[in-house]
Amino acid sequence: MKTKKQNYSHLSPKQPIGIFDSGVGGLTVAKEIKRLLPNEDLIYFGDTKHLPYGEKSKEAIIEYSTKISNFLLEQNCKAIVIACNTATANALKEVMLSVAGKVPVIDVINPVAEKVAYELHNNVGVIATKATVNSGLYKKSIRKHNKFIKVDELATPLLVPAIEEGFKNHPITHSIIYNYLSNTKLKNIETLILGCTHYPLLIDEIKQYYGNRVRVIDSPNIVANHLTIILDKYHLLNDNNPKPNYKFYLSDITKNFEKISKKFFGKTINLELKVL
């Protein structure tokens, strides 16, 4: 069966890029997109009212993700980045159906899985939320491209709440990281994928645990590069916008989100409450 060729001729490079996550984690992806694509307008939706997604049912995650995607379409976005591993693992198909080919949809699992599969990785570990691990999508995606790679996935559910509560460089996170990474499932890994966009906020602490023994994958950079390739392919890159606009919508405004978003995007940004 032939796949339908995508046609995005109705879209303009001047339209913003839409990004969503359950909370602050997707800001790691948004920050990298801002760095690689400094002329792009961005609209970010953080579903802080419903976090963490990793503890929610598949049905709930699908409902949240499709509603947010439709909202980003209403905001005239030219692409949607699902900056959430749990939403990708549980609702990617439904988001694609909901968007109905109107704009490109970029997820945070498949670009990472493909890159890892084609590089020299033998034993790969994945830490992620329960919902992402239960989906098995990382293992399926990596082994689809390279069936010889050994993939071990470990649910690490305490990390997202700790990050959302602002416990960065804190004895609490140090203890959680040590307990998770010393799990026997991750004993022989050579590479670690941070299978949640929140986790790069702790990347220094995770690298400190491993020293130089394990390569930690920088997922936000891979996703931002993939987005760049997609936008370039369809002639949707905005290369003439010296004062880009960044909009942030939250279903519940939290101090930690405000702190991290202003750190990444500047102190003059506004957070707008939007309950879908």
Side-chain angles (χ1 to χ4, degrees), residues 181-244:
L181 299 186
S182 59
N183 189 290
T184 53
K185 268 194 175 183
L186 304 176
K187 187 179 178 183
N188 298 314
I189 64 167
E190 302 160 335
T191 300
L192 181 70
I193 295 173
L194 306 183
C196 173
T197 51
H198 282 71
Y199 297 175
L201 290 164
L202 301 175
I203 194 165
D204 291 338
E205 293 164 78
I206 291 168
K207 284 182 174 178
Q208 190 178 4
Y209 172 86
Y210 282 119
N212 295 318
R213 292 177 291 128
V214 170
R215 180 182 173 192
V216 181
I217 299 296
D218 183 3
S219 298
N221 177 262
I222 295 169
V223 174
N225 271 298
H226 182 69
L227 170 66
T228 304
I229 291 165
I230 296 296
L231 293 179
D232 186 44
K233 178 181 177 181
Y234 295 108
H235 311 291
L236 291 173
L237 285 173
N238 192 347
D239 53 13
N240 184 22
N241 185 19
K243 289 187 177 179

Side-chain angles (χ1 to χ4, degrees), residues 27-38:
L27 290 172
T28 61
V29 177
K31 177 191 176 189
E32 202 58 24
I33 292 170
K34 174 182 175 248
R35 188 183 70 81
L36 285 180
L37 301 171

Side-chain angles (χ1 to χ4, degrees), residues 67-106:
K67 275 186 179 178
I68 296 166
S69 298
N70 288 327
F71 171 74
L72 292 173
L73 279 181
E74 289 166 10
Q75 300 307 301
N76 201 32
C77 292
K78 66 183 175 186
I80 293 175
V81 180
I82 308 176
C84 175
N85 286 265
T86 303
T88 296
N90 289 273
L92 177 59
K93 181 182 173 184
E94 287 77 10
V95 167
M96 299 282 280
L97 287 169
S98 179
V99 168
K102 292 172 188 157
V103 300
V105 175
I106 290 85

Side-chain angles (χ1 to χ4, degrees), residues 6 64 66 70 82 90 96 119 134 173 186 190 223 250 257:
Q6 297 294 352
Y64 304 149
T66 51
N70 288 327
I82 308 176
N90 289 273
M96 299 282 280
E119 291 180 351
N134 289 342
T173 48
L186 304 176
E190 302 160 335
V223 174
L250 299 176
F257 191 100

Side-chain angles (χ1 to χ4, degrees), residues 84-216:
C84 175
N85 286 265
T86 303
T88 296
N90 289 273
L92 177 59
K93 181 182 173 184
E94 287 77 10
V95 167
M96 299 282 280
L97 287 169
S98 179
V99 168
K102 292 172 188 157
V103 300
V105 175
I106 290 85
D107 72 88
V108 287
I109 292 181
N110 287 296
V112 176
E114 186 171 352
K115 186 170 177 62
V116 167
Y118 287 119
E119 291 180 351
L120 295 174
H121 303 270
N122 294 314
N123 297 321
V124 174
V126 180
I127 56 172
T129 66
K130 285 180 186 175
T132 299
V133 169
N134 289 342
S135 77
L137 187 56
Y138 266 104
K139 186 178 284 190
K140 289 175 205 164
S141 300
I142 292 170
R143 290 173 66 84
K144 180 177 77 175
H145 298 289
N146 186 339
K147 65 182 180 182
F148 300 106
I149 294 179
K150 186 175 184 292
V151 182
D152 289 303
E153 298 173 288
L154 179 69
T156 51
L158 293 177
L159 285 175
V160 169
I163 292 164
E164 288 287 344
E165 290 298 326
F167 291 119
K168 189 173 180 262
N169 290 317
H170 191 281
I172 288 176
T173 48
H174 293 166
S175 178
I176 294 170
I177 288 167
Y178 177 83
N179 276 280
Y180 282 145
L181 299 186
S182 59
N183 189 290
T184 53
K185 268 194 175 183
L186 304 176
K187 187 179 178 183
N188 298 314
I189 64 167
E190 302 160 335
T191 300
L192 181 70
I193 295 173
L194 306 183
C196 173
T197 51
H198 282 71
Y199 297 175
L201 290 164
L202 301 175
I203 194 165
D204 291 338
E205 293 164 78
I206 291 168
K207 284 182 174 178
Q208 190 178 4
Y209 172 86
Y210 282 119
N212 295 318
R213 292 177 291 128
V214 170
R215 180 182 173 192
V216 181

Side-chain angles (χ1 to χ4, degrees), residues 230-265:
I230 296 296
L231 293 179
D232 186 44
K233 178 181 177 181
Y234 295 108
H235 311 291
L236 291 173
L237 285 173
N238 192 347
D239 53 13
N240 184 22
N241 185 19
K243 289 187 177 179
N245 187 32
Y246 306 122
K247 284 186 180 177
F248 296 86
Y249 294 96
L250 299 176
S251 53
D252 183 30
I253 293 177
T254 66
K255 285 185 178 179
N256 192 44
F257 191 100
E258 190 172 6
K259 178 184 171 186
I260 294 174
S261 59
K262 288 188 174 181
K263 181 183 175 185
F264 286 175
F265 287 87

